[in-house]
Amino acid sequence: MGFNIKKYIMELPEYIPGRTIDEIKEKYNLKKVYKLASNESLFGPDYSVIKEIRKNLNDIKYYPDSSCVEIRKKISEKFNIDIDSIIIGNGTDQIIEMICDSFIEAGDNIVIADPTFLIYEKSTLKCNGMVVKVGLKQLRQDVEELVKAMNSKTKILFLTNPHNPTGSKLSSSEFDYIMGNVNRDVLVVMDEAYGEYMNEEDKIDTISYISRYKNLVVLRTFSKVYGLAGLRIGYGISDNNVISVLNKVRLPFNVSFIAQKAAIKALENESYVNKIRSIVDEEKNRYYKILNENRIEFVRSYANFILIKTGEQSDIIIERLLRDGFIVRPGINLGIPGYTRVTMGLPYINKIFLKKFVRIFNEVYGKVKF
């Protein structure tokens, strides 16, 4: 290619998405395929959200509200916060990108757990910044080492709670340690994409910290428990001054009209979120029981997925699952070789999957614990 492309752009890591249902159907000549790889909610949105989408379809000929006032107002009322402390993005991915665009210059760095969500790294490298990676400790974010890893060039610390891809959580004391030991000129970004799957006693009330810590950004999404992954809408909450900076790089009309309407309606039905959380908890317990009975190791999860130890034969197990119509996420693609990440599906899907998975696992390993 004869174009003069920035060298660091050419070296950006590639995000490997989950394989599509149609792709697997065609490759293996299957009529039914279940996608348990990308942590979508297979329950989908509440029916009231579907009705709201249908009701507003005739107005898609107009540009959306560029300032997303209605949805920001709804969020501000829900959490009793200033509307100007909220920014809406085309998924939280876009807000992560806005944050890096606003605060990272050549030579600056971010600190992240390793592994974690790839978009933190990719958005930083795109700005010609550097990435400092801190290994997990027993598959959990190591808060003390994350703090130690920061230096004078550190601009952002990215955290996830629950953590992706392991499903582990941060405690309140760990979060207090971080906020108490990070310099106030370093932005702490807490990504809570899976936060709604946590029970109240496990959650950290991160939004309440924002009034005390002007360097904190909290990210949440409608892609997970609300079932709106295909519409791409998420939000960030921070001090007004931080949000003002992000708005300078935010593109106009960045969130679609339908996504805004759907998210507004989704926020009105907290009982639906509670219902989905309860079902997912029941399904995770089903997994725990069966995996324990078969002496298959796993990581207890606070999200809507489970990381299962599939060992040296992971590729064989995943390939056989694909042939049986189940798409799961190889741990090697997530930075955790020897593991497989499985999204909680509908109860009947989980029953079928567990039966097939245990059979395949036991056949591959000869029922010997590894």
Side-chain angles (χ1 to χ4, degrees), residues 54-119:
R54 289 171 178 164
K55 186 177 80 173
N56 286 280
L57 285 176
N58 192 50
D59 287 333
I60 59 173
K61 55 183 174 286
Y62 301 114
Y63 283 111
D65 172 13
S66 183
S67 298
C68 301
V69 172
E70 195 176 354
I71 178 62
R72 288 195 298 126
K73 182 180 179 183
K74 181 69 71 172
I75 294 168
S76 73
E77 292 171 349
K78 178 179 176 66
F79 298 113
N80 192 28
I81 55 176
D82 187 346
I83 190 172
D84 291 329
S85 67
I86 303 162
I87 191 165
I88 310 297
N90 190 251
T92 50
D93 298 27
Q94 187 184 48
I95 303 175
I96 293 164
E97 188 176 46
M98 290 181 208
I99 291 169
C100 291
D101 287 347
S102 299
F103 294 98
I104 298 295
E105 294 183 308
D108 293 335
N109 71 56
I110 67 165
V111 174
I112 59 173
D114 183 29
T116 192
F117 188 40
L118 180 65
I119 302 304

Side-chain angles (χ1 to χ4, degrees), residues 177-195:
Y177 176 85
I178 288 168
M179 297 310 300
N181 287 277
V182 171
N183 291 335
R184 295 301 177 97
D185 59 354
V186 174
L187 205 62
V188 177
V189 179
M190 174 66 99
D191 188 342
E192 298 181 327
Y194 299 93

Side-chain angles (χ1 to χ4, degrees), residues 16-34:
I16 303 173
R19 301 174 75 171
T20 68
I21 290 174
D22 288 341
E23 173 191 354
I24 299 305
K25 279 183 176 180
E26 181 177 353
K27 181 175 180 178
Y28 297 102
N29 193 28
L30 297 169
K31 291 184 178 180
K32 191 67 178 178
V33 170
Y34 303 102

Side-chain angles (χ1 to χ4, degrees), residues 306-357:
I306 293 180
L307 198 63
I308 303 174
K309 188 174 183 181
T310 44
E312 295 179 354
Q313 304 301 321
S314 294
D315 289 348
I316 294 173
I317 292 171
I318 289 168
E319 174 66 20
R320 289 188 57 179
L321 285 169
L322 286 173
R323 292 182 181 279
D324 278 343
F326 287 95
I327 309 172
V328 294
R329 194 80 155 139
I332 194 167
N333 292 353
L334 301 167
I336 311 183
Y339 285 84
T340 299
R341 194 186 67 188
V342 183
T343 305
M344 293 296 97
L346 303 177
Y348 83 92
I349 296 174
N350 295 332
K351 287 180 182 178
I352 301 170
F353 172 82
L354 281 166
K355 185 176 181 180
K356 290 183 180 293
F357 174 80

